[in-house]
Amino acid sequence: MSDRYAVIGRPINHTKSPLIHGLFAQASNQQLEYGAIEGSLDDFEAQVLQFRSEGGKGMNITAPFKLRAFELADRRSERAQLARAANALKFEDGRIVAENFDGIGLLRDIEENLGEPLRNRRVLLLGAGGAVRGALLPFLQAGPSELVIANRDMAKALALRNELDHSRLRISRYEALEGQSFDIVVNATSASLTADLPPLPADVLGEAALAYELAYGKGLTPFLRLAREQGQARLADGVGMLVEQAAEAFAWWRGVRPDTRAVINQLTIPLE
């Protein structure tokens, strides 16, 4: 009988995780089953525990359950603790172990797949939600000269800054970015999900080596369109991050890290 894994979220019909993990298993000769579970807002914790009791080995967690998965765990990684969220669970020795691979998946996509190292570069993160929380520790460990978080809600950004006191970490209001330039700009806000745009000053994106949209499969979002209009030719969406964080979870569960390039190529939609 194959080991069982699943992704749980709400809604879940759009998920690419079963396809991705199926391709990983095929490429690495791993025998496993991977399904998708529509999470219940009332009974999420019971669903996780039931999956474990039925022999499940691990789960990916997506919106809106990452905070609740973190709370449910018996043990939590440093990355999960900083993010206060889990995007992967492992069931071992009667315990639930929480991890967060979102940040390291994003970093691997930017540095390895797109060839844009963060070391000694100025990086701007737009937003202060769970995605930014997950990215902070891996990003700072990559050694940027400065990492700036821009957000509408300064209290939320300040809370992040206080939690991770680091000399290279700075917070800013959007309007205070006027006249500044960055090497890498990542849109981690939810604006693109509603075809909206963060309130960026003019030309913030013009000098960047890379404009990265965390949302994936949406083509040329307002953020990426603005980057192109400001003269930025290097654009990317979050499909690479999606695949890379999945590969991290797969390796955590199975002890084998699959190659990601072919899967990223299969899922990539041209930014038009």
Side-chain angles (χ1 to χ4, degrees):
M1 182 177 178
S2 299
D3 290 340
R4 293 180 59 217
Y5 300 87
V7 60
I8 184 168
R10 183 182 183 92
I12 202 63
N13 59 329
H14 67 287
T15 185
K16 303 291 186 185
S17 291
L19 171 61
I20 292 170
H21 284 276
L23 292 171
F24 286 165
Q26 184 178 15
S28 57
N29 295 315
Q30 295 285 304
Q31 299 298 315
L32 59 85
E33 297 177 14
Y34 190 105
I37 299 172
E38 182 78 19
S40 166
L41 296 178
D42 295 326
D43 297 318
F44 165 76
E45 290 80 6
Q47 288 177 294
V48 173
L49 295 176
Q50 180 180 350
F51 184 78
R52 181 181 67 168
S53 71
E54 293 172 350
K57 298 294 186 180
M59 302 184 83
N60 284 123
I61 312 296
T62 189
F65 299 117
K66 292 183 180 182
L67 299 180
R68 290 169 66 174
F70 174 81
E71 294 294 338
L72 183 62
D74 304 299
R75 288 167 40 203
R76 306 171 182 95
S77 72
E78 183 182 10
R79 288 185 292 241
Q81 287 174 352
L82 179 61
R84 294 184 187 170
N87 86 324
L89 300 176
K90 182 194 291 187
F91 309 129
E92 61 179 12
D93 302 325
R95 294 187 173 185
I96 300 175
V97 186
E99 252 290 7
N100 191 308
F101 295 116
D102 287 336
I104 194 65
L106 174 59
L107 181 66
R108 285 183 68 97
D109 191 37
I110 291 173
E111 291 203 321
E112 299 188 21
N113 299 332
L114 300 174
E116 296 291 350
L118 269 62
R119 180 162 298 279
N120 297 325
R121 303 179 87 182
R122 298 193 73 222
V123 180
L124 173 62
L125 293 174
L126 307 178
V132 169
R133 279 184 168 275
L136 280 181
L137 188 60
F139 270 40
L140 286 168
Q141 290 172 338
S145 60
E146 187 175 39
L147 180 61
V148 178
I149 301 171
N151 197 53
R152 283 189 174 100
D153 184 347
M154 287 301 291
K156 194 172 183 180
L158 183 60
L160 269 180
R161 176 68 178 82
N162 290 340
E163 284 178 43
L164 192 63
D165 187 16
H166 197 289
S167 60
R168 293 194 299 272
L169 180 61
R170 181 167 67 86
I171 63 173
S172 174
R173 299 182 186 278
Y174 281 107
E175 58 268 23
L177 298 173
E178 182 105 36
Q180 299 186 52
S181 62
F182 297 89
D183 300 302
I184 297 170
V185 181
V186 178
N187 181 25
T189 72
S190 59
S192 295
L193 300 179
T194 55
D196 203 354
L197 183 69
L200 286 169
D203 298 328
V204 167
L205 299 169
E207 299 299 320
L210 172 68
Y212 192 104
E213 171 70 76
L214 221 61
Y216 63 90
K218 296 186 176 297
L220 207 59
T221 65
F223 169 75
L224 293 177
R225 190 177 303 278
L226 176 65
R228 178 169 288 179
E229 290 170 354
Q230 292 188 5
Q232 175 46 255
R234 190 77 191 274
L235 311 175
D237 72 0
V239 68
M241 172 194 171
L242 173 71
V243 176
E244 293 294 346
Q245 63 82 25
E248 293 292 326
F250 191 93
W252 187 49
W253 292 329
R254 308 298 296 177
V256 177
R257 194 182 196 284
D259 181 67
T260 56
R261 174 48 55 190
V263 180
I264 291 172
N265 288 342
Q266 181 170 332
L267 295 180
T268 295
I269 297 175
L271 298 175
E272 297 175 352

